[in-house]
Amino acid sequence: MLGLDVCEFGGQFLELLWLTVCYRGIMADKEGTAPVHEEEDETDLNYQAPAQKTLQEIQELDKDDESLNKYKQTLLGTGPVVLDPSIPNVQVTRLTLMCVQAPGPITMDLTGDLEALKKQNFTMKEGVDYRVKIHFKVNREIVSGLKYVHLTYRKGLRDQLSLALVLDMNLDQLSLALVLDTNLDQLSLALVLDTNLDQLSLALVLDTNLDQLSLALVLDTNLDQLSLALVLDTNLDQLSLALVLDTNLDQLSLALVLDTNLDQLSLALVLDTNLDQLSLALVLDTNLDQLSLALVLDMNLDQLSLALVLDTNLLAEFSSSLYLTPDPVSQGFEQAVNPSLLDKAVYMVGSYGPRVEEHEFITPVEEAPKGLIVRGIYHIKSYFTDDDKTDHLSWEWNLQIKKDWDSTESCISRLGVLSLFSASCRHGRPYALSHVAFNDRHLSTSSKIKVDLDNSNGIAVMKFDNPPVNSMSLDFLTEFSINLEKLELDKSCRGVILTSAQPRIFSAGLDIMDMYGTSPEHCGAFWKAVQDMWLKLYGYSKITIAAINGASPAGGCLMALCCDYRIMADDPRYSIGLNETQLGIVAPFWFKDTLLNTVGHRTTELSLQMGIMYHAHEALKIGLVDQLVPEGKVLSTAVETLGTWLAVPGHAREISKSMMRKPTVDKLLANKEADIKNFVSFITKDSIQKSLGMYLAALKKKKA
Ligand SMILES: CCCCCCCCCCC/C=C/C(=O)SCCNC(=O)CCNC(=O)[C@H](O)C(C)(C)COP(=O)(O)OP(=O)(O)OC[C@H]1O[C@@H](n2cnc3c(N)ncnc32)[C@H](O)[C@@H]1OP(=O)(O)O
């Protein structure tokens, strides 16, 4: 019975695991063009989803088996976290485009107005590697077979309207040519009106987009009367205006306007001979992404008018946007505006149980398309669904591929690690995100941490440079987590070494000044930054080595303990340990767990109660560090050691690491908010503040 239930329970997950593997294969050659509801993924796989069990049913299975229960808890969480049935079981909260080279993560909030997203463009530089991260919550029941489906359409068809209308009535009567080309970013309008022999012609050309407005107006009244041509062209950097006025009856008027800057060339040529004769209007507008050409030729009343309008922002679109139809509501028009599906990606997200914390899913790395032809706006339809095709959330948005990052700030919000950013802003300490060129060897020269990635071996060295003692302030922790996240996303980075640029000190631990005499709000934000640093580093997928080249008390010791391997300078002056009790404060459970997982129960108990700082040899003896070397060799040994670790098959090592650490990480994740509350109420107590004050005074006294 037990065996059967365990099998049944495990079977659901194994099948899902198998599905995940199968879908990876499918994703590798994603080429489908059918809309999401038309696809039959299961049929392709010859797969039948197992009958779904409720959370309660699964929890009831062998509930006396303690180890099975622990396993279930890890996978499924502890139980429903939201009972209100009006709240959906699955809530998708945000999508982030993660890209190492981006000035910051590009995040869309999915809890607000989804309609507004349709109009918003999220910019991506061409050719960059990126991944999509989705945050979602599961509130009551296990969901299995979650999928994220991502349909990409070429923008410019459905969201673009191109209309060319030419009306030529009879010999005595006038022609009207109207050319309208518009999409979310751009409106081009060319209107040519020519009435009869004695009457006026009007040509209006308007071309505008977010950055630019071009207007050309040509007015020609009658034989005795004047012509007016007005050309206005303006953008952020430039304004050009040309006005041509011509009165003479038999005479030719010519207006030529040429407007150009680095990115753009606009040429407008208007040639008008006389009323019996030909008029030519040529408008050429081109920039790096776009070419617009309007040519209007009008011979005489007995003769034909030609209007040619060409507007393209990528060659693939060319044929669709150039057409002429006398009736805009005919089926030809209908067909022309249908969007074309370019790509369909299906990502297997997996099975999840209810949990207070959000789950997150990250897609494999994708490369943004590159080249003049593919620049432009793509319309994306996103679906968060599952095996039963439940629509947990569907939404639409636009991805704009540009030659370079620019003006993306408006659509960037910094969440996740970035919530650290907002926290520091909230407390009046705006944090300047370091804009880092990650493709160079020298990655960053941000103020408190130097990051140096050697592309020849994939090893990044993060050197703490926060004098005098590398204390971990809110800013330091924020910078640390951001750098670590960037390196995690950087495919060329394979492992990270943490060390100090300050003499004799690895890190003096958490910055006491962030906890002493500060507001509860500040303490909360600070503690969240400490948690995020720990969550990122302890759960880091890549190899981490601490090259401890100096003293490493409390938070400094914690940071070293989070690494996979510790090499310490063999110097009796340097010591390491969780000495919190010496300050009159208590290391929280996750500090304790990190030490416990490294040195065992008894040593942890002694160590924490007494707040022991271990000299290098003692630290080696109890297993707090793994190796001692002369100070001058700490970094080189770390590089060598990392090389040895890199020889182990990465995937197997990563899974083993996660297997060892995930329960500890999950424990904090499940108690993050409560832990912050505990910290704030503890640290702001008068007695604790007094202890911290005395400790600080003692530090200063020691110095004196
Ligand atoms: C019921 C349970 C609920 C649980 C709730 C949670 C409980 C809270 C948990 C909090 C966990 C805390 C973790 C920490 O990391 S606390 C910080 C602990 N760090 C230390 O104790 C180290 C103290 N510093 C030293 O020992 C020495 O400075 C050091 C050996 C690192 C270097 O010695 P050196 O002689 O070279 O330098 P100085 O001592 O002269 O220091 C230079 C200046 O730096 C200031 N300083 C030092 N350390 C810190 C620090 N951590 N934060 C802020 N400032 C620091 C020092 O005062 C000197 O300043 P001045 O130049 O102004 O005098």
Side-chain angles (χ1 to χ4, degrees), residues 468-469 504-505 508-512 527 553-555 579-580 583 585-586 679 682 695 699-700 702-703:
V469 290
R504 299 178 296 100
I505 291 151
L510 303 190
D511 195 318
I512 300 169
W527 198 243
N579 65 332
E580 279 79 355
L583 285 77
I585 55 179
V586 182
F679 172 78
F682 177 86
Y695 188 78
L699 274 179
K700 289 188 193 307
K702 174 203 78 173
K703 202 171 163 187

PDB file of all heavy atoms in Angstrom, residues 468-469 504-505 508-512 527 553-555 579-580 583 585-586 679 682 695 699-700 702-703, ligand 1:
ATOM      1  N   PRO A 468      36.357  51.731   5.584  1.00  0.00           N
ATOM      2  CA  PRO A 468      37.654  51.148   5.936  1.00  0.00           C
ATOM      3  C   PRO A 468      37.614  49.628   6.140  1.00  0.00           C
ATOM      4  O   PRO A 468      38.627  48.970   6.048  1.00  0.00           O
ATOM      5  CB  PRO A 468      37.981  51.838   7.269  1.00  0.00           C
ATOM      6  CG  PRO A 468      36.630  52.128   7.880  1.00  0.00           C
ATOM      7  CD  PRO A 468      35.716  52.412   6.736  1.00  0.00           C
ATOM      8  N   VAL A 469      36.372  49.057   6.386  1.00  0.00           N
ATOM      9  CA  VAL A 469      36.363  47.657   6.827  1.00  0.00           C
ATOM     10  C   VAL A 469      35.406  46.768   6.015  1.00  0.00           C
ATOM     11  O   VAL A 469      35.072  45.671   6.431  1.00  0.00           O
ATOM     12  CB  VAL A 469      36.018  47.568   8.345  1.00  0.00           C
ATOM     13  CG1 VAL A 469      37.141  48.110   9.192  1.00  0.00           C
ATOM     14  CG2 VAL A 469      34.692  48.275   8.650  1.00  0.00           C
ATOM     15  N   ARG A 504      43.869  43.427   5.204  1.00  0.00           N
ATOM     16  CA  ARG A 504      43.643  42.761   6.493  1.00  0.00           C
ATOM     17  C   ARG A 504      42.173  42.503   6.856  1.00  0.00           C
ATOM     18  O   ARG A 504      41.891  41.952   7.890  1.00  0.00           O
ATOM     19  CB  ARG A 504      44.315  43.551   7.648  1.00  0.00           C
ATOM     20  CG  ARG A 504      45.818  43.687   7.545  1.00  0.00           C
ATOM     21  CD  ARG A 504      46.391  44.510   8.682  1.00  0.00           C
ATOM     22  NE  ARG A 504      45.920  45.891   8.675  1.00  0.00           N
ATOM     23  CZ  ARG A 504      44.943  46.374   9.437  1.00  0.00           C
ATOM     24  NH1 ARG A 504      44.339  45.602  10.317  1.00  0.00           N
ATOM     25  NH2 ARG A 504      44.588  47.641   9.366  1.00  0.00           N
ATOM     26  N   ILE A 505      41.267  42.919   5.998  1.00  0.00           N
ATOM     27  CA  ILE A 505      39.849  42.685   6.345  1.00  0.00           C
ATOM     28  C   ILE A 505      39.092  42.132   5.135  1.00  0.00           C
ATOM     29  O   ILE A 505      39.101  42.727   4.053  1.00  0.00           O
ATOM     30  CB  ILE A 505      39.185  43.995   6.804  1.00  0.00           C
ATOM     31  CG1 ILE A 505      39.770  44.401   8.149  1.00  0.00           C
ATOM     32  CG2 ILE A 505      37.672  43.807   6.974  1.00  0.00           C
ATOM     33  CD1 ILE A 505      39.782  45.859   8.397  1.00  0.00           C
ATOM     34  N   ALA A 508      33.876  43.307   7.737  1.00  0.00           N
ATOM     35  CA  ALA A 508      33.540  43.457   9.162  1.00  0.00           C
ATOM     36  C   ALA A 508      32.091  43.097   9.430  1.00  0.00           C
ATOM     37  O   ALA A 508      31.570  43.336  10.520  1.00  0.00           O
ATOM     38  CB  ALA A 508      33.802  44.896   9.606  1.00  0.00           C
ATOM     39  N   GLY A 509      31.414  42.514   8.449  1.00  0.00           N
ATOM     40  CA  GLY A 509      30.030  42.082   8.652  1.00  0.00           C
ATOM     41  C   GLY A 509      29.040  43.191   8.377  1.00  0.00           C
ATOM     42  O   GLY A 509      29.369  44.208   7.748  1.00  0.00           O
ATOM     43  N   LEU A 510      27.836  42.988   8.864  1.00  0.00           N
ATOM     44  CA  LEU A 510      26.790  43.971   8.590  1.00  0.00           C
ATOM     45  C   LEU A 510      27.191  45.329   9.154  1.00  0.00           C
ATOM     46  O   LEU A 510      27.854  45.407  10.200  1.00  0.00           O
ATOM     47  CB  LEU A 510      25.466  43.528   9.211  1.00  0.00           C
ATOM     48  CG  LEU A 510      24.954  42.156   8.784  1.00  0.00           C
ATOM     49  CD1 LEU A 510      23.527  41.961   9.285  1.00  0.00           C
ATOM     50  CD2 LEU A 510      25.015  41.969   7.278  1.00  0.00           C
ATOM     51  N   ASP A 511      26.781  46.350   8.444  1.00  0.00           N
ATOM     52  CA  ASP A 511      27.120  47.700   8.885  1.00  0.00           C
ATOM     53  C   ASP A 511      26.263  48.049  10.098  1.00  0.00           C
ATOM     54  O   ASP A 511      25.032  48.189   9.989  1.00  0.00           O
ATOM     55  CB  ASP A 511      26.878  48.700   7.738  1.00  0.00           C
ATOM     56  CG  ASP A 511      27.555  50.021   8.026  1.00  0.00           C
ATOM     57  OD1 ASP A 511      27.488  50.473   9.194  1.00  0.00           O
ATOM     58  OD2 ASP A 511      28.169  50.594   7.104  1.00  0.00           O
ATOM     59  N   ILE A 512      26.921  48.173  11.221  1.00  0.00           N
ATOM     60  CA  ILE A 512      26.194  48.425  12.467  1.00  0.00           C
ATOM     61  C   ILE A 512      25.429  49.749  12.378  1.00  0.00           C
ATOM     62  O   ILE A 512      24.346  49.898  12.947  1.00  0.00           O
ATOM     63  CB  ILE A 512      27.166  48.410  13.668  1.00  0.00           C
ATOM     64  CG1 ILE A 512      27.846  47.043  13.750  1.00  0.00           C
ATOM     65  CG2 ILE A 512      26.436  48.705  14.972  1.00  0.00           C
ATOM     66  CD1 ILE A 512      29.008  46.954  14.718  1.00  0.00           C
ATOM     67  N   TRP A 527      17.215  44.808   6.416  1.00  0.00           N
ATOM     68  CA  TRP A 527      17.177  43.358   6.665  1.00  0.00           C
ATOM     69  C   TRP A 527      16.752  42.594   5.408  1.00  0.00           C
ATOM     70  O   TRP A 527      17.238  41.511   5.120  1.00  0.00           O
ATOM     71  CB  TRP A 527      16.238  43.041   7.833  1.00  0.00           C
ATOM     72  CG  TRP A 527      16.503  41.665   8.383  1.00  0.00           C
ATOM     73  CD1 TRP A 527      15.653  40.606   8.391  1.00  0.00           C
ATOM     74  CD2 TRP A 527      17.718  41.199   8.996  1.00  0.00           C
ATOM     75  NE1 TRP A 527      16.251  39.512   8.969  1.00  0.00           N
ATOM     76  CE2 TRP A 527      17.522  39.850   9.344  1.00  0.00           C
ATOM     77  CE3 TRP A 527      18.949  41.807   9.273  1.00  0.00           C
ATOM     78  CZ2 TRP A 527      18.507  39.076   9.960  1.00  0.00           C
ATOM     79  CZ3 TRP A 527      19.932  41.035   9.893  1.00  0.00           C
ATOM     80  CH2 TRP A 527      19.712  39.689  10.222  1.00  0.00           C
ATOM     81  N   PRO A 553      34.301  38.715  10.622  1.00  0.00           N
ATOM     82  CA  PRO A 553      33.314  38.466  11.671  1.00  0.00           C
ATOM     83  C   PRO A 553      31.878  38.493  11.138  1.00  0.00           C
ATOM     84  O   PRO A 553      31.593  39.100  10.113  1.00  0.00           O
ATOM     85  CB  PRO A 553      33.541  39.641  12.633  1.00  0.00           C
ATOM     86  CG  PRO A 553      34.092  40.735  11.779  1.00  0.00           C
ATOM     87  CD  PRO A 553      34.823  40.091  10.643  1.00  0.00           C
ATOM     88  N   ALA A 554      30.975  37.828  11.861  1.00  0.00           N
ATOM     89  CA  ALA A 554      29.518  37.892  11.681  1.00  0.00           C
ATOM     90  C   ALA A 554      29.074  37.817  10.212  1.00  0.00           C
ATOM     91  O   ALA A 554      29.252  36.793   9.563  1.00  0.00           O
ATOM     92  CB  ALA A 554      28.996  39.148  12.383  1.00  0.00           C
ATOM     93  N   GLY A 555      28.510  38.914   9.693  1.00  0.00           N
ATOM     94  CA  GLY A 555      28.018  38.896   8.314  1.00  0.00           C
ATOM     95  C   GLY A 555      29.107  38.520   7.310  1.00  0.00           C
ATOM     96  O   GLY A 555      28.813  37.917   6.262  1.00  0.00           O
ATOM     97  N   ASN A 579      29.970  36.065  15.590  1.00  0.00           N
ATOM     98  CA  ASN A 579      30.192  36.591  16.941  1.00  0.00           C
ATOM     99  C   ASN A 579      29.029  37.437  17.453  1.00  0.00           C
ATOM    100  O   ASN A 579      29.189  38.242  18.370  1.00  0.00           O
ATOM    101  CB  ASN A 579      31.471  37.453  16.935  1.00  0.00           C
ATOM    102  CG  ASN A 579      31.301  38.685  16.065  1.00  0.00           C
ATOM    103  OD1 ASN A 579      30.531  38.674  15.118  1.00  0.00           O
ATOM    104  ND2 ASN A 579      32.005  39.757  16.402  1.00  0.00           N
ATOM    105  N   GLU A 580      27.833  37.260  16.867  1.00  0.00           N
ATOM    106  CA  GLU A 580      26.718  38.163  17.177  1.00  0.00           C
ATOM    107  C   GLU A 580      26.462  38.322  18.672  1.00  0.00           C
ATOM    108  O   GLU A 580      26.195  39.426  19.152  1.00  0.00           O
ATOM    109  CB  GLU A 580      25.428  37.684  16.483  1.00  0.00           C
ATOM    110  CG  GLU A 580      25.310  38.079  15.016  1.00  0.00           C
ATOM    111  CD  GLU A 580      26.119  37.223  14.082  1.00  0.00           C
ATOM    112  OE1 GLU A 580      26.879  36.348  14.565  1.00  0.00           O
ATOM    113  OE2 GLU A 580      26.017  37.406  12.865  1.00  0.00           O
ATOM    114  N   LEU A 583      27.913  41.085  20.543  1.00  0.00           N
ATOM    115  CA  LEU A 583      27.337  42.427  20.354  1.00  0.00           C
ATOM    116  C   LEU A 583      26.016  42.558  21.112  1.00  0.00           C
ATOM    117  O   LEU A 583      25.340  43.584  21.032  1.00  0.00           O
ATOM    118  CB  LEU A 583      27.035  42.702  18.863  1.00  0.00           C
ATOM    119  CG  LEU A 583      28.160  43.011  17.893  1.00  0.00           C
ATOM    120  CD1 LEU A 583      28.902  41.746  17.518  1.00  0.00           C
ATOM    121  CD2 LEU A 583      27.639  43.670  16.640  1.00  0.00           C
ATOM    122  N   ILE A 585      23.457  40.686  20.324  1.00  0.00           N
ATOM    123  CA  ILE A 585      22.382  40.356  19.372  1.00  0.00           C
ATOM    124  C   ILE A 585      22.439  38.858  19.044  1.00  0.00           C
ATOM    125  O   ILE A 585      23.381  38.160  19.435  1.00  0.00           O
ATOM    126  CB  ILE A 585      22.454  41.212  18.076  1.00  0.00           C
ATOM    127  CG1 ILE A 585      23.827  41.080  17.422  1.00  0.00           C
ATOM    128  CG2 ILE A 585      22.140  42.655  18.371  1.00  0.00           C
ATOM    129  CD1 ILE A 585      23.969  41.871  16.134  1.00  0.00           C
ATOM    130  N   VAL A 586      21.415  38.406  18.342  1.00  0.00           N
ATOM    131  CA  VAL A 586      21.284  36.966  18.112  1.00  0.00           C
ATOM    132  C   VAL A 586      21.287  36.677  16.620  1.00  0.00           C
ATOM    133  O   VAL A 586      20.539  37.312  15.869  1.00  0.00           O
ATOM    134  CB  VAL A 586      19.941  36.470  18.709  1.00  0.00           C
ATOM    135  CG1 VAL A 586      19.785  34.969  18.525  1.00  0.00           C
ATOM    136  CG2 VAL A 586      19.844  36.846  20.173  1.00  0.00           C
ATOM    137  N   PHE A 679      13.127  40.853  13.130  1.00  0.00           N
ATOM    138  CA  PHE A 679      14.367  41.628  13.169  1.00  0.00           C
ATOM    139  C   PHE A 679      14.079  43.055  13.600  1.00  0.00           C
ATOM    140  O   PHE A 679      14.735  43.596  14.499  1.00  0.00           O
ATOM    141  CB  PHE A 679      15.064  41.617  11.805  1.00  0.00           C
ATOM    142  CG  PHE A 679      16.231  42.554  11.738  1.00  0.00           C
ATOM    143  CD1 PHE A 679      17.454  42.210  12.314  1.00  0.00           C
ATOM    144  CD2 PHE A 679      16.114  43.810  11.153  1.00  0.00           C
ATOM    145  CE1 PHE A 679      18.533  43.080  12.292  1.00  0.00           C
ATOM    146  CE2 PHE A 679      17.189  44.689  11.124  1.00  0.00           C
ATOM    147  CZ  PHE A 679      18.399  44.323  11.692  1.00  0.00           C
ATOM    148  N   PHE A 682      13.132  43.339  17.167  1.00  0.00           N
ATOM    149  CA  PHE A 682      14.268  43.005  18.027  1.00  0.00           C
ATOM    150  C   PHE A 682      15.304  44.133  18.040  1.00  0.00           C
ATOM    151  O   PHE A 682      15.709  44.619  19.092  1.00  0.00           O
ATOM    152  CB  PHE A 682      14.891  41.695  17.510  1.00  0.00           C
ATOM    153  CG  PHE A 682      16.123  41.243  18.239  1.00  0.00           C
ATOM    154  CD1 PHE A 682      16.028  40.482  19.395  1.00  0.00           C
ATOM    155  CD2 PHE A 682      17.388  41.560  17.766  1.00  0.00           C
ATOM    156  CE1 PHE A 682      17.169  40.048  20.069  1.00  0.00           C
ATOM    157  CE2 PHE A 682      18.533  41.144  18.429  1.00  0.00           C
ATOM    158  CZ  PHE A 682      18.414  40.379  19.587  1.00  0.00           C
ATOM    159  N   TYR A 695      28.856  48.529  22.035  1.00  0.00           N
ATOM    160  CA  TYR A 695      29.809  47.799  21.190  1.00  0.00           C
ATOM    161  C   TYR A 695      30.570  48.768  20.279  1.00  0.00           C
ATOM    162  O   TYR A 695      31.790  48.700  20.140  1.00  0.00           O
ATOM    163  CB  TYR A 695      29.058  46.756  20.362  1.00  0.00           C
ATOM    164  CG  TYR A 695      29.969  45.819  19.599  1.00  0.00           C
ATOM    165  CD1 TYR A 695      30.608  44.764  20.234  1.00  0.00           C
ATOM    166  CD2 TYR A 695      30.197  45.995  18.236  1.00  0.00           C
ATOM    167  CE1 TYR A 695      31.450  43.900  19.538  1.00  0.00           C
ATOM    168  CE2 TYR A 695      31.032  45.140  17.532  1.00  0.00           C
ATOM    169  CZ  TYR A 695      31.640  44.093  18.182  1.00  0.00           C
ATOM    170  OH  TYR A 695      32.478  43.256  17.491  1.00  0.00           O
ATOM    171  N   LEU A 699      34.561  49.649  20.151  1.00  0.00           N
ATOM    172  CA  LEU A 699      35.385  49.609  18.926  1.00  0.00           C
ATOM    173  C   LEU A 699      36.244  50.867  18.823  1.00  0.00           C
ATOM    174  O   LEU A 699      37.423  50.824  18.490  1.00  0.00           O
ATOM    175  CB  LEU A 699      34.495  49.525  17.684  1.00  0.00           C
ATOM    176  CG  LEU A 699      34.036  48.146  17.212  1.00  0.00           C
ATOM    177  CD1 LEU A 699      33.152  48.281  15.974  1.00  0.00           C
ATOM    178  CD2 LEU A 699      35.226  47.252  16.890  1.00  0.00           C
ATOM    179  N   LYS A 700      35.594  51.973  19.114  1.00  0.00           N
ATOM    180  CA  LYS A 700      36.305  53.248  19.009  1.00  0.00           C
ATOM    181  C   LYS A 700      37.370  53.371  20.090  1.00  0.00           C
ATOM    182  O   LYS A 700      38.466  53.867  19.856  1.00  0.00           O
ATOM    183  CB  LYS A 700      35.329  54.429  19.085  1.00  0.00           C
ATOM    184  CG  LYS A 700      34.488  54.513  17.828  1.00  0.00           C
ATOM    185  CD  LYS A 700      33.659  55.772  17.776  1.00  0.00           C
ATOM    186  CE  LYS A 700      32.604  55.716  16.701  1.00  0.00           C
ATOM    187  NZ  LYS A 700      33.064  55.374  15.359  1.00  0.00           N
ATOM    188  N   LYS A 702      38.937  50.949  21.562  1.00  0.00           N
ATOM    189  CA  LYS A 702      40.039  50.055  21.214  1.00  0.00           C
ATOM    190  C   LYS A 702      41.019  50.786  20.299  1.00  0.00           C
ATOM    191  O   LYS A 702      42.229  50.739  20.466  1.00  0.00           O
ATOM    192  CB  LYS A 702      39.469  48.813  20.518  1.00  0.00           C
ATOM    193  CG  LYS A 702      40.499  47.875  19.967  1.00  0.00           C
ATOM    194  CD  LYS A 702      39.927  47.022  18.847  1.00  0.00           C
ATOM    195  CE  LYS A 702      39.864  47.849  17.567  1.00  0.00           C
ATOM    196  NZ  LYS A 702      39.495  47.120  16.374  1.00  0.00           N
ATOM    197  N   LYS A 703      40.433  51.557  19.399  1.00  0.00           N
ATOM    198  CA  LYS A 703      41.234  52.283  18.424  1.00  0.00           C
ATOM    199  C   LYS A 703      42.083  53.351  19.129  1.00  0.00           C
ATOM    200  O   LYS A 703      43.263  53.522  18.854  1.00  0.00           O
ATOM    201  CB  LYS A 703      40.300  52.950  17.417  1.00  0.00           C
ATOM    202  CG  LYS A 703      40.928  53.277  16.119  1.00  0.00           C
ATOM    203  CD  LYS A 703      39.823  53.715  15.174  1.00  0.00           C
ATOM    204  CE  LYS A 703      40.380  54.449  13.998  1.00  0.00           C
ATOM    205  NZ  LYS A 703      39.309  55.016  13.194  1.00  0.00           N
TER     206      LYS A 703
HETATM  207  C1  LIG B   1      14.831  36.407  18.842  1.00  0.00           C
HETATM  208  C2  LIG B   1      15.698  36.349  17.640  1.00  0.00           C
HETATM  209  C3  LIG B   1      15.445  37.461  16.675  1.00  0.00           C
HETATM  210  C4  LIG B   1      16.585  37.597  15.737  1.00  0.00           C
HETATM  211  C5  LIG B   1      16.535  38.878  15.025  1.00  0.00           C
HETATM  212  C6  LIG B   1      17.788  39.240  14.328  1.00  0.00           C
HETATM  213  C7  LIG B   1      18.907  39.673  15.189  1.00  0.00           C
HETATM  214  C8  LIG B   1      19.933  40.540  14.540  1.00  0.00           C
HETATM  215  C9  LIG B   1      20.995  39.813  13.838  1.00  0.00           C
HETATM  216  C10 LIG B   1      22.040  40.720  13.322  1.00  0.00           C
HETATM  217  C11 LIG B   1      23.156  39.990  12.708  1.00  0.00           C
HETATM  218  C12 LIG B   1      24.364  40.827  12.627  1.00  0.00           C
HETATM  219  C13 LIG B   1      25.390  40.543  11.900  1.00  0.00           C
HETATM  220  C14 LIG B   1      26.586  41.396  11.830  1.00  0.00           C
HETATM  221  O1  LIG B   1      27.366  41.251  10.953  1.00  0.00           O
HETATM  222  S1  LIG B   1      26.807  42.630  13.001  1.00  0.00           S
HETATM  223  C15 LIG B   1      28.412  43.255  12.743  1.00  0.00           C
HETATM  224  C16 LIG B   1      29.407  42.454  13.473  1.00  0.00           C
HETATM  225  N1  LIG B   1      30.742  42.911  13.209  1.00  0.00           N
HETATM  226  C17 LIG B   1      31.681  43.031  14.107  1.00  0.00           C
HETATM  227  O2  LIG B   1      31.485  42.746  15.245  1.00  0.00           O
HETATM  228  C18 LIG B   1      33.008  43.550  13.633  1.00  0.00           C
HETATM  229  C19 LIG B   1      33.400  44.789  14.365  1.00  0.00           C
HETATM  230  N2  LIG B   1      34.637  45.307  13.853  1.00  0.00           N
HETATM  231  C20 LIG B   1      35.844  44.834  14.176  1.00  0.00           C
HETATM  232  O3  LIG B   1      35.970  43.879  14.892  1.00  0.00           O
HETATM  233  C21 LIG B   1      37.017  45.549  13.621  1.00  0.00           C
HETATM  234  O4  LIG B   1      36.582  46.766  13.125  1.00  0.00           O
HETATM  235  C22 LIG B   1      37.728  44.781  12.486  1.00  0.00           C
HETATM  236  C23 LIG B   1      38.428  43.563  13.058  1.00  0.00           C
HETATM  237  C24 LIG B   1      36.783  44.367  11.396  1.00  0.00           C
HETATM  238  C25 LIG B   1      38.783  45.742  11.877  1.00  0.00           C
HETATM  239  O5  LIG B   1      39.589  46.244  12.887  1.00  0.00           O
HETATM  240  P1  LIG B   1      40.491  47.533  12.621  1.00  0.00           P
HETATM  241  O6  LIG B   1      41.265  47.777  13.857  1.00  0.00           O
HETATM  242  O7  LIG B   1      41.203  47.414  11.356  1.00  0.00           O
HETATM  243  O8  LIG B   1      39.434  48.718  12.372  1.00  0.00           O
HETATM  244  P2  LIG B   1      38.603  49.494  13.459  1.00  0.00           P
HETATM  245  O9  LIG B   1      38.083  48.607  14.484  1.00  0.00           O
HETATM  246  O10 LIG B   1      39.399  50.653  13.930  1.00  0.00           O
HETATM  247  O11 LIG B   1      37.368  50.007  12.587  1.00  0.00           O
HETATM  248  C26 LIG B   1      37.511  51.059  11.651  1.00  0.00           C
HETATM  249  C27 LIG B   1      36.212  51.842  11.625  1.00  0.00           C
HETATM  250  O12 LIG B   1      35.191  50.974  11.124  1.00  0.00           O
HETATM  251  C28 LIG B   1      34.115  50.939  12.058  1.00  0.00           C
HETATM  252  N3  LIG B   1      33.495  49.612  11.989  1.00  0.00           N
HETATM  253  C29 LIG B   1      34.069  48.445  12.224  1.00  0.00           C
HETATM  254  N4  LIG B   1      33.198  47.449  12.021  1.00  0.00           N
HETATM  255  C30 LIG B   1      32.055  47.999  11.676  1.00  0.00           C
HETATM  256  C31 LIG B   1      30.772  47.490  11.338  1.00  0.00           C
HETATM  257  N5  LIG B   1      30.500  46.184  11.303  1.00  0.00           N
HETATM  258  N6  LIG B   1      29.810  48.336  11.005  1.00  0.00           N
HETATM  259  C32 LIG B   1      30.034  49.655  10.998  1.00  0.00           C
HETATM  260  N7  LIG B   1      31.242  50.222  11.319  1.00  0.00           N
HETATM  261  C33 LIG B   1      32.242  49.372  11.646  1.00  0.00           C
HETATM  262  C34 LIG B   1      34.761  51.204  13.375  1.00  0.00           C
HETATM  263  O13 LIG B   1      33.842  51.647  14.310  1.00  0.00           O
HETATM  264  C35 LIG B   1      35.757  52.248  13.010  1.00  0.00           C
HETATM  265  O14 LIG B   1      35.034  53.447  12.858  1.00  0.00           O
HETATM  266  P3  LIG B   1      35.705  54.844  13.220  1.00  0.00           P
HETATM  267  O15 LIG B   1      36.864  54.992  12.282  1.00  0.00           O
HETATM  268  O16 LIG B   1      34.637  55.816  13.023  1.00  0.00           O
HETATM  269  O17 LIG B   1      36.165  54.738  14.656  1.00  0.00           O
END
